[in-house]
Amino acid sequence: MPEALENDSLVLSPGAVCNACNNYLGRKVEAPVVSSAAMVALRHLQGVGNKRGRIPNMPVRLANGMEAEMILDRSSARRLLEVDAPEVVTKGAFTGASRPTVGYAAAPDSLRTSREVARFVAKSGYEYIALENLHHVGSLVNFDGAPELDPCRRFVRYGQGPDTWEVSVRRIYEADTQFADDEPGDQRVSELDFLVLGDQHIIFAMSIFGLEMYVCLTGPSLAPYRHWLKATGSETLLYPKAV
């Protein structure tokens, strides 16, 4: 998972991914999603910076129709509005208004399912399984060879495959949810896991501040996962009911 989503622990060791692949995946697969308006809003509101620690500004729209950016002042922990307009215009726009009404240009939960999002989630799942195999002997999935993952690899690395690779995006809990087994004030930033169904299907799910995304890594359809959810009565593989 990208460092821009506050990941500094689940990282493949140097050499696990060649430089050319790593650069391509960063530019063509990660960046379109991490830099999308919805994800920028989520990162801004949760104070998640990039590799250099810079928290992105969040585009907003004022009630008077003007566009602006919300800036987090880290020294004071206050949010400031920056309006790109001549001073005379901004003075007229805010006359008599002590605090302007602000709306999202793109809400944090407005990330749409798309081919770009599917590639991003599949890439995260493919690398997560690689990490599990490198770090844990006897992992559920044997990564060596793994011809069943070849379609996913080609889809992620080259954009090959069907026009539609099914992906789901939904909120499973609010970003500030406090779980019983968490320390006071703790927040769940990210969760990742995969589910092996028989010997044919591997489902991967990830949650970022409660925003869950999941794909099938062995094919473009999520039908096997939907069948498993119905059969087990589970809401998500991240929090399954006893099977």
Side-chain angles (χ1 to χ4, degrees):
M1 197 164 64
E3 291 180 42
L5 294 177
E6 210 161 90
N7 170 48
D8 58 6
S9 57
L10 296 174
V11 180
L12 287 169
S13 57
V17 181
C18 72
N19 289 336
C21 292
N22 199 44
N23 291 335
Y24 174 86
L25 294 172
R27 289 183 294 106
K28 298 295 187 180
V29 179
E30 290 181 357
V33 175
V34 173
S35 301
S36 66
M39 197 60 73
V40 164
L42 180 64
R43 291 168 56 205
H44 174 89
L45 292 172
Q46 301 304 325
V48 178
N50 58 16
K51 289 184 179 181
R52 299 178 180 85
R54 180 183 177 277
I55 296 172
N57 299 340
M58 180 175 67
V60 295
R61 187 170 293 111
L62 309 184
N64 58 18
M66 295 180 68
E67 295 184 351
E69 283 193 334
M70 190 77 75
I71 301 171
L72 180 62
D73 180 16
R74 303 190 73 170
S75 61
S76 64
R78 297 180 62 186
R79 285 187 165 84
L80 310 173
L81 269 181
E82 182 179 83
V83 182
D84 185 15
E87 184 177 356
V88 64
V89 174
T90 55
K91 279 185 176 180
F94 298 122
T95 298
S98 58
R99 180 172 295 183
T101 302
V102 176
Y104 295 121
D109 288 358
S110 64
L111 186 68
R112 298 182 180 277
T113 58
S114 66
R115 189 176 174 84
E116 285 183 339
V117 172
R119 290 182 74 193
F120 170 76
V121 181
K123 176 260 183 193
S124 299
Y126 192 87
E127 291 188 346
Y128 181 62
I129 288 179
L131 186 69
E132 286 289 292
N133 277 269
L134 289 172
H135 289 182
H136 304 289
V137 176
S139 177
L140 285 172
V141 178
N142 180 6
F143 198 69
D144 293 334
E148 67 273 18
L149 292 174
D150 281 348
C152 174
R153 178 182 59 80
R154 291 192 294 268
F155 174 64
V156 171
R157 178 62 179 88
Y158 304 107
Q160 297 176 356
D163 292 336
T164 301
W165 194 291
E166 196 174 1
V167 60
S168 177
V169 181
R170 61 177 181 167
R171 179 158 293 283
I172 55 175
Y173 57 82
E174 295 303 318
D176 58 355
T177 296
Q178 185 76 49
F179 290 86
D181 53 347
D182 290 344
E183 294 294 327
D186 279 358
Q187 189 179 26
R188 297 198 176 183
V189 177
S190 61
E191 299 176 275
L192 306 91
D193 207 348
F194 59 86
L195 172 71
V196 180
L197 298 175
D199 58 358
Q200 293 183 324
H201 307 294
I202 304 172
I203 311 299
F204 170 76
M206 61 190 294
S207 169
I208 303 169
F209 292 104
L211 188 65
E212 183 198 52
M213 295 167 270
Y214 55 85
V215 296
C216 179
L217 299 179
T218 46
S221 173
L222 280 168
Y225 182 49
R226 287 191 291 270
H227 177 74
W228 178 85
L229 290 174
K230 184 177 181 180
T232 62
S234 300
E235 295 289 334
T236 167
L237 72 86
L238 295 175
Y239 294 93
K241 289 187 177 181
V243 179

